[in-house]
Amino acid sequence: MSKTVDVLARYLPILEWGRTYNRSILTSDLVAAIIVTIMLIPQSLAYALLAGLPPIVGLYASILPLVAYAIFGTSRTLAVGPVAVLSLMTASAAGAIAAPGSAEYLEAAITLAALSGIMLTVLGLLRLGFLANLLSHPVISGFITASGILIATSQLKHIIGVQAGGDNWPAMLSSLAASLDTTNPWTIAIGVPALVFLFWVRSGFKRTLMSAGVPPRPADIIAKAGPVIAVVLTILAAIGFNLGAKNVDLVGAIPSGLPPFAVPSTDVALIEKLWVPALLISIIGFVESVSVAQTLAAKRRQRILPDQELVGLGASNIASAFSGGYPVTGGFARSAVNFDAGARTPAAGAFTAGGIALASLFLTPLLASLPIATLAATIIVAVLSLVDLKTPAQLWNYSKADFAAHLATIVITLLAGVEMGVIAGVTVGLMLYLWRASRPHAAIVGRVPETEHFRNIERHSVFTVPHVLSIRIDESLTYLNARWLEEYVLERVADQPEVQHVILMASAVNEIDASGLESLEAIHHRLADAGIGLHLSEVKGPVMDRLKRTHFLDELNGRVFLSQNRAFRELADDGGHAAPASDDMARGLI
Amino acid sequence: MSKTVDVLARYLPILEWGRTYNRSILTSDLVAAIIVTIMLIPQSLAYALLAGLPPIVGLYASILPLVAYAIFGTSRTLAVGPVAVLSLMTASAAGAIAAPGSAEYLEAAITLAALSGIMLTVLGLLRLGFLANLLSHPVISGFITASGILIATSQLKHIIGVQAGGDNWPAMLSSLAASLDTTNPWTIAIGVPALVFLFWVRSGFKRTLMSAGVPPRPADIIAKAGPVIAVVLTILAAIGFNLGAKNVDLVGAIPSGLPPFAVPSTDVALIEKLWVPALLISIIGFVESVSVAQTLAAKRRQRILPDQELVGLGASNIASAFSGGYPVTGGFARSAVNFDAGARTPAAGAFTAGGIALASLFLTPLLASLPIATLAATIIVAVLSLVDLKTPAQLWNYSKADFAAHLATIVITLLAGVEMGVIAGVTVGLMLYLWRASRPHAAIVGRVPETEHFRNIERHSVFTVPHVLSIRIDESLTYLNARWLEEYVLERVADQPEVQHVILMASAVNEIDASGLESLEAIHHRLADAGIGLHLSEVKGPVMDRLKRTHFLDELNGRVFLSQNRAFRELADDGGHAAPASDDMARGLI
């Protein structure tokens, strides 16, 4: 019985933490849930706006997904829901299908969540979480920076009250510039102060609170509730000055009530158009979420299981789709607030869901007069903190290849949009990796005098003899570098016509795949044709076990030595060439 | 002056071998050219048939491409021209555009050659030859086996004189089975004997010649001219029995003359449809050609330059396109004949081109009565020798991952065609590689008693202390395994609560990319939070140089030791824990 629970607990983490749940944990979770709920309401509305969806969809996406994650997720403190980058990606994908505001647009967003949920769940069940490794740190940071710039630029129109468009950065900027003569002074009068206030809340408010005697952690949490203050103040301003009549865009009437039951589209033509964006949304969302979850788990010495996280996020997105929401993932800001506010189990997330549900039942009439400019200011302040301008210089300094992947991601994302940006970053990173993997490290080695150690002849004063060539291979032999190995060995032999024996020192070879084996056979064949012996030394146990299953060792014209030292000693003696006859023959001999 | 020639000779290898050309080399090259010409004529006609093109196109593709390769190629003995696999791929790509026999179909084939030529040249100039490494040996051999089965099956209809179609193997077989009641007995009377004769020529004819006193090499070359005998005999039979009137398909009237000047299409819509097949044709052709060229070069201790080979094959394909041909590459059979017949420079290829040009000027009227069944028999015999049924068992035995890539390639090629087959093979191979690369090898190590060596605690009896954890990392730290490293180190620390110092032994780390560095920083940050020191040992020179350009070493709470032995000695003494107090503390101590 208990064993069954253990196995089940792997796929249903709720069974594990649920067993030890008590009143003290409940209190902690409830307090955290109240704080996160207050923070989430304006954020959810804002991100739905960014995604081109009705604001209420942001609330819908913050209810059932949290409950689903509480059941299936492995992080104790991750808070899932709409996030900036996925909202931008949703806008990009759904915008290619239909015009924002149309029923088709909403259907596309819901279908994206469903596809992404299915993909994440399948990747998790197949334990393919490693695919997220394809997104290197430089690619992710480049993508986040460029997305931040794109998002902030896209929201500027709401701050100054103009109509503008564009689906890449230059187009956005020029559309914005062309619209400058139609600005609405009333919108600016709301938007600019909201923007300044929110920037100040993020930077100076916490310090003000602390100097007023509030302890650091509560001060931090209160500062993060700054957007709520902006929301309340601008609603009051909109009502007081009747801004709706002055062409200031307001959120407008929101239907009160719980999320509807929605059904994602099963239209094959639509799915064909959406599967690539859905896959990218899945992977970007997973990487963002796992990074946050791992950081928070490490602080409390807890663990998360990446493959189960895929299932948890998959369940969240499926829940989002069936309740009329759009793609969600674990967000950094909300998870940090949840953690700081003392959440101890995923139940805090479920309680937050309850809070948002109450809000969507009772608070929506109050939000009708909220200016869109306030939400835009919330978004701009949130995303500009993601823009990281120090990384490019650091990468340039440390690794040109990583810099190239970073820059390619930024430039392509700004010029060709989020999907192409991610694809370009992954492609450039992978190409550079494969390029390096196809040119692995190897060295000709000789014996360090009076020791049994062998070192690179180019860096050390070592002893060699001209009829024995010792090559140390510093990587596993795989299909990516097999052809290189053939060229390397045969060229070294061509450079040294006296060679009678080649020793491949395999101390760093962890694996030889079938292509590597074929290359070894080809090398052996060509050396044997030329009357040269091929020998191996220091072959690792598992590699040797596999070689024994082939005919390679039976056909080998040379020997397999346990140590490079013994191989060199015996072969250097062979043919009476052991005593070096000239400087030329005893390179570096002391 | 001479220096300029040296530089030019890199891109125009003709400048190198042309300088030492003399009468003796000329004689060798001329003899080889005559032999290869005789062999190439039926082969070129047959492969054009396989590609769904008029037979004369096969001759066109065997003239200018050979001259272009003679100028730009680096192999002394490679013979370029139409080959079986590229003909099949051409049929697949052009067949998706138009019906065989139409002008659009021919235009698509010419455009494929042009696109492939441009791609190969660009890849060569950018030195991207390493991309061919993505095709592992198991993928290539699976692809060739499956292509051989597809090609042989597609030609059976010509042997029995029926109409049949199908663009995958099951469809071909069922279409063939459905047509069995319409067989033409006259066609069978030509096709089956031709097939049997050609199989016998390939296997038994050489032995017969040798027992008649012909030396092995000439016997081999004569045996390879067997198709010419079949062509002559079946032409005579077709004329003698007036087979054309008995519904036996004949080649029919071929326009005599030199290749026309053709212009590839610049239609964007056509290029959009053809660029993926053209890329696959380029890479498959390059891999086939380079393997052949390397094998032959090694036999005479010559070298080829893979990146310049790309340029040579690119020039050949561009030449093919502008002379009304289709994609070409270096073929195995023809190159081997060229080599065995004594060709010494690429001039032999140019002379062969002259021979084929003469044939297309004067021999084509004689070919009008050639039965298609003869050409089909030539193709079947040639490709069945490519089918390799031993490899799957060998791969299963040696490497399950390689077997999976091999099998995926065969199955997908048979069921979904050549393009999907190659893509599936490359994808499966790359996924399995990335999966393994994301789980690199590492081990907890301890000191071998009375030595300075450190070995895996799971395999050796070694000395450790509980407050020092030594982890040897056996691979470079890259973005693919960076996340794994974090998990591995933090889990090992979680398993051993007494740990005060972690030593990462980096003797096998050739590189740390930006993601690897970030993971090291994350590990350091989390260990430091827990009051644990992070130390490095045996960091290689180039890796250390790069680390010094970052803040990592300044912020590190531990030290960097030159040797693991010193690191362990000093840290094991730290805190008075050096003397092991119990069995538990001194694992494996002797």
Side-chain angles (χ1 to χ4, degrees), chain B residues 19 38 57 69 87 112 117 160 197 217 246 289 296 298 341 354 380 393-394 416 482 552 556:
Chain B
R19 274 186 279 183
I38 293 171
V57 173
Y69 184 82
S87 299
L112 272 176
I160 59 175
F197 171 75
R217 256 180 57 185
K246 296 179 171 102
S289 184
L296 297 181
I380 291 175
Q394 284 169 356
F552 177 68
L556 192 67

Side-chain angles (χ1 to χ4, degrees), chain A residues 469-547:
Chain A
L469 178 66
S470 301
I471 297 175
R472 189 190 67 213
I473 302 163
D474 287 346
E475 319 258 338
S476 289
L477 298 181
T478 67
Y479 73 104
L480 293 175
N481 60 30
R483 205 165 280 136
W484 166 89
L485 182 72
E486 285 179 52
E487 284 172 32
Y488 183 84
V489 173
L490 297 174
E491 282 178 22
R492 291 302 90 74
V493 171
D495 292 346
Q496 206 168 321
E498 311 96 320
V499 167
Q500 294 170 16
H501 299 285
V502 172
I503 309 170
L504 295 182
M505 181 178 169
S507 46
V509 176
N510 291 312
E511 205 205 332
I512 299 179
D513 75 3
S515 305
L517 177 65
E518 270 206 46
S519 282
L520 277 185
E521 286 170 339
I523 290 168
H524 172 244
H525 193 70
R526 292 180 195 174
L527 291 180
D529 274 359
I532 299 173
L534 177 66
H535 311 266
L536 304 177
S537 75
E538 309 205 354
V539 182
K540 291 193 175 186
V543 174
M544 196 66 188
D545 291 346
R546 266 170 115 193
L547 286 181

Side-chain angles (χ1 to χ4, degrees), chain B residues 51-396:
Chain B
L53 294 164
I56 188 76
V57 173
L59 293 182
Y60 294 164
S62 302
I63 301 174
L64 283 193
L66 281 71
V67 177
Y69 184 82
I71 299 170
F72 294 101
T74 63
S75 165
R76 297 288 173 94
T77 46
L78 191 75
V80 301
V83 302
V85 170
L86 294 200
S87 299
L88 176 68
M89 295 179 80
T90 300
S92 164
I97 305 287
S102 65
E104 289 77 22
Y105 188 94
L106 178 60
E107 186 183 37
I110 290 173
T111 307
L112 272 176
L115 287 175
S116 169
I118 293 167
M119 287 171 177
L120 287 163
T121 308
V122 169
L123 288 174
L125 294 177
L126 297 178
R127 308 186 159 245
L128 293 175
F130 76 93
L131 283 179
N133 290 347
L134 285 174
L135 290 171
S136 65
H137 285 275
V139 169
I140 296 169
S141 84
F143 179 70
I144 302 247
T145 290
S147 300
I149 294 172
L150 280 181
I151 293 169
T153 309
S154 76
Q155 297 305 305
L156 277 179
K157 63 182 179 199
H158 295 305
I159 300 288
I160 59 175
V162 299
Q163 300 286 328
D167 51 8
N168 61 59
W169 200 47
M172 282 180 186
L173 288 178
S174 69
S175 166
L176 210 56
S179 69
L180 281 182
D181 51 346
T182 62
T183 52
N184 180 335
W186 289 101
T187 305
I188 294 179
I190 290 288
V192 172
L195 201 56
V196 172
F197 171 75
L198 288 170
F199 269 117
W200 174 74
V201 160
R202 195 168 260 265
S203 54
F205 189 38
K206 186 180 159 190
R207 238 175 302 142
T208 311
L209 285 170
M210 280 167 65
S211 58
V214 183
R217 256 180 57 185
D220 194 50
I221 292 169
I222 296 171
K224 281 193 173 123
V228 176
I229 302 169
V231 164
V232 172
L233 291 180
T234 54
I235 287 177
L236 294 177
I239 295 170
F241 298 101
N242 192 17
L243 293 181
K246 296 179 171 102
N247 283 326
V248 174
D249 282 334
L250 304 179
V251 166
I254 301 177
S256 296
L258 290 174
F261 176 73
V263 180
S265 170
T266 53
D267 175 9
V268 174
L270 183 65
I271 290 171
E272 268 182 12
K273 283 182 201 149
L274 289 180
W275 77 267
V276 172
L279 184 63
L280 294 174
I281 284 174
S282 303
I283 293 178
I284 295 278
F286 174 63
V287 169
E288 177 169 355
S289 184
V290 158
S291 312
V292 175
Q294 267 173 339
T295 304
L296 297 181
K299 288 193 183 184
R300 290 205 192 135
R301 320 237 139 205
Q302 294 163 347
R303 281 183 57 194
I304 62 151
L305 300 171
D307 285 326
Q308 179 61 25
E309 277 301 283
L310 282 165
V311 175
L313 293 174
S316 298
N317 276 291
I318 292 171
S320 186
F322 282 96
S323 57
Y326 72 106
V328 295
T329 194
F332 182 76
R334 65 184 57 188
S335 300
V337 169
N338 194 35
F339 182 91
D340 287 342
R344 289 171 63 186
T345 75
F351 300 148
T352 304
I356 307 264
L358 289 176
S360 68
L361 275 175
F362 303 113
L363 287 187
T364 50
L366 303 177
L367 294 170
S369 298
L370 173 62
I372 297 287
T374 310
L375 295 179
T378 309
I379 295 173
I380 291 175
V381 172
V383 298
L384 280 188
S385 69
L386 302 176
V387 175
D388 176 1
L389 298 175
K390 274 180 295 178
T391 296
Q394 284 169 356
L395 287 175
W396 172 260

Side-chain angles (χ1 to χ4, degrees), chain A residues 206-518:
Chain A
K206 186 179 159 192
R207 239 175 301 143
T208 312
L209 286 169
M210 280 167 65
S211 59
V214 183
R217 256 179 58 186
D220 194 47
I221 291 168
I222 296 171
K224 280 191 174 124
V228 177
I229 302 170
V231 164
V232 172
L233 291 180
T234 52
I235 287 177
L236 294 177
I239 295 170
F241 297 102
N242 193 16
L243 293 180
K246 295 178 171 103
N247 283 327
V248 173
D249 282 335
L250 304 178
V251 166
I254 301 176
S256 296
L258 290 174
F261 177 73
V263 180
S265 169
T266 52
D267 175 10
V268 174
L270 183 66
I271 290 170
E272 268 182 13
K273 283 183 203 149
L274 290 180
W275 77 268
V276 172
L279 184 63
L280 294 174
I281 284 174
S282 303
I283 292 178
I284 295 278
F286 173 62
V287 169
E288 176 168 354
S289 184
V290 159
S291 311
V292 175
Q294 268 174 339
T295 304
L296 297 179
K299 287 194 183 183
R300 291 206 190 134
R301 319 240 139 202
Q302 294 164 347
R303 281 184 56 194
I304 62 153
L305 301 172
D307 285 325
Q308 180 62 25
E309 276 301 284
L310 282 164
V311 175
L313 293 175
S316 298
N317 277 290
I318 292 171
S320 186
F322 282 95
S323 56
Y326 72 106
V328 295
T329 194
F332 182 77
R334 67 184 56 188
S335 300
V337 170
N338 195 36
F339 182 91
D340 287 341
R344 289 170 64 186
T345 75
F351 300 149
T352 304
I356 307 264
L358 289 176
S360 68
L361 275 176
F362 302 113
L363 287 186
T364 49
L366 304 178
L367 294 170
S369 299
L370 173 62
I372 297 286
T374 310
L375 295 179
T378 309
I379 295 172
I380 291 174
V381 172
V383 298
L384 280 189
S385 70
L386 302 175
V387 175
D388 176 0
L389 299 176
K390 273 180 296 178
T391 296
Q394 285 169 355
L395 286 174
W396 172 259
N397 190 32
Y398 184 70
S399 157
K400 301 292 179 284
D402 281 309
F403 175 80
H406 183 72
L407 192 69
T409 311
I410 293 181
V411 171
I412 306 283
T413 303
L414 288 180
L415 297 185
V418 281
E419 284 155 27
M420 283 308 295
V422 175
I423 292 171
V426 169
T427 307
V428 170
L430 197 56
M431 292 264 289
L432 290 168
Y433 176 87
L434 295 175
W435 184 79
R436 281 176 296 184
S438 71
R439 281 161 179 69
H441 200 263
I444 300 183
V445 294
R447 189 167 64 197
V448 180
E450 300 183 32
T451 73
E452 300 187 354
H453 294 300
F454 284 74
R455 292 282 184 276
N456 192 339
I457 60 165
E458 286 172 14
R459 299 210 193 150
H460 301 268
S461 246
V462 292
F463 174 69
T464 61
V465 295
H467 67 288
V468 176
L469 178 66
S470 301
I471 297 175
R472 189 190 67 213
I473 302 163
D474 287 346
E475 319 258 338
S476 289
L477 298 181
T478 67
Y479 73 104
L480 293 175
N481 60 30
R483 205 165 280 136
W484 166 89
L485 182 72
E486 285 179 52
E487 284 172 32
Y488 183 84
V489 173
L490 297 174
E491 282 178 22
R492 291 302 90 74
V493 171
D495 292 346
Q496 206 168 321
E498 311 96 320
V499 167
Q500 294 170 16
H501 299 285
V502 172
I503 309 170
L504 295 182
M505 181 178 169
S507 46
V509 176
N510 291 312
E511 205 205 332
I512 299 179
D513 75 3
S515 305
L517 177 65
E518 270 206 46

